[in-house]
Every structure is written in structure tokens, then in C-alpha cells.
Amino acid sequence: MSATTPWLIAGLGNPGPDYAGNRHNVGFMVADLLASRMGSKFKSHKAARAQVVEGRIGIPGTTSTRVVLAKPMAYMNVSGGPVKALLDFYGIGADHLVVVHDELDIDYGTLRLKFGGGDNGHNGLKSLTKVLGRDYYRVRFGVGRPPGRMQVADYVLKDFSSAERKELDYFVDRTADACESLIIDGLERAQSTYNS
């Protein structure tokens, strides 16, 4: 990869208004915030089932980095196909891919950044790993475990609770910051700042 190779930030979620506020859609929320920071709106991509924004991140007046933001417009469990199509279209390797997703085994609002690893039962990651292998960056947004005997699928497909929504904007903002830091500062520095 050359220094001019863009990065792809893929926020995972399910398309459509019925899913917009779900815990499973936090990746879309972060992608939307990053797009608004770039002053751009998502548009349908001609070669992939995804909405994209192309832009730059970095401090104005300094060297900035080319970034493609993506929201796969396929359901979570088949999101690997659209992400792979975008990587191929832009000539980006998986080592320049950042995936933003919800994570059950981390407390609500807690962030963990890492490179590679398993899918931990997450259907979006399963789909990505099937087509790309394990070696891509992950920004994991903690949503916590379901209460009582609630099924995992029911929990992640529910909206954040009213108590969670009070802090959601702050946590989404912090996650967007973490994505930018990962690309600009590198994984170790981003982990030391944002992993909690």
C-alpha cells in the first residue's frame, strides 16, 4: 500500500428506518457523524450495494488522509459482499479497512480498538471474515449483554434504552474520534487514548 492509498471505514448496520435506532446499527450512527464532519452526504455507490462518502480526515492545513466511508446496504449477516466490492473498486487492502460495530461482551459505551481476531458470534464480522480473512481493524462499541433471558438477536435489534440514549451522542462522537485517531495516529496511540 502506498501512502496515498485511501482507508475504508465501514460502519455496520441494517438498512431501513425500522433498524435506524437499534443497538446493531451503531456503526451506521458513527459513519453518519463522520460524514457530517466531512460536510458530505451519503450517496449510492455504482459498483457495490452500499452508500459511500469520499473525503479527507485530518487537521485542516496539515497532511490529510483520503477516506471512503461506507454503510453496506445489505443486511448485517451479508455485509461482507458490499465491503469486499468497495475494497476492490478503490484498490484498498484489508489492512486499510476499519470496521465499526456493536460488541456484546463490552459494557455500554466502552470502546476497544484492535487489529484482527475472531468474530465473537457477530454476524457482520462473520460475513466479513468469510470473504476477507481476519486481518482488518475493528472499532468495537460496547452495548453490553441482554438482560435476563432475552435472546441476543432480540436485544441487538432493539433501540437503545432511554437511559442509554442520554449518553449515546457522546459515545458516538468519541467513537468517531477513535476512528480518526486510528487512521491518523496509528493503532497503538489510538488504543492508549480510547481503549477503556
Side-chain angles (χ1 to χ4, degrees):
M1 290 284 157
S2 75
T4 58
T5 300
W7 285 78
L8 177 66
I9 300 176
L12 298 188
N14 285 308
D18 290 349
Y19 300 100
N22 290 179
R23 292 180 178 91
H24 227 14
N25 271 43
V26 75
F28 277 15
M29 296 173 196
V30 173
D32 285 337
L33 178 58
L34 286 166
S36 73
R37 288 181 180 183
M38 290 180 185
S40 299
K41 290 196 180 335
F42 279 95
K43 296 184 174 89
S44 293
H45 194 269
K46 61 186 177 191
R49 226 171 125 199
Q51 290 186 348
V52 297
V53 165
E54 297 178 39
R56 291 185 172 273
I57 60 170
I59 300 159
T62 65
T63 306
S64 58
T65 303
R66 285 178 59 213
V67 170
V68 179
L69 301 174
K71 296 192 296 186
M73 289 290 110
Y75 287 105
M76 180 71 84
N77 61 351
V78 289
S79 47
V83 172
K84 171 92 167 62
L86 289 170
L87 291 172
D88 291 346
F89 181 86
Y90 290 102
I92 301 171
D95 63 336
H96 271 57
L97 169 64
V98 178
V99 176
V100 186
H101 64 90
D102 58 306
E103 180 65 60
L104 287 164
D105 287 335
I106 305 174
D107 290 340
Y108 174 64
T110 300
L111 283 182
R112 296 273 162 75
L113 284 68
K114 70 175 192 171
F115 181 78
D119 57 53
N120 206 18
H122 191 288
N123 288 331
L125 296 183
K126 276 184 190 168
S127 177
L128 284 161
T129 299
K130 187 175 175 185
V131 296
L132 299 174
R134 297 168 178 258
D135 293 340
Y136 53 89
Y137 291 94
R138 297 108 188 271
V139 176
R140 303 153 71 206
F141 182 108
V143 295
R145 300 293 306 180
R149 295 178 178 218
M150 184 186 285
Q151 294 296 310
V152 165
D154 294 335
Y155 178 69
V156 296
L157 293 175
K158 280 200 177 330
D159 287 0
F160 286 99
S161 70
S162 55
E164 289 169 334
R165 282 197 300 271
K166 288 176 181 162
E167 295 182 292
L168 183 60
D169 287 348
Y170 167 76
F171 289 137
V172 168
D173 192 66
R174 192 165 183 272
T175 308
D177 290 346
C179 292
E180 292 178 344
S181 176
L182 171 58
I183 290 170
I184 295 164
D185 304 320
L187 179 62
E188 283 185 23
R189 277 185 65 186
Q191 283 175 325
S192 67
T193 305
Y194 294 98
N195 276 15
S196 42

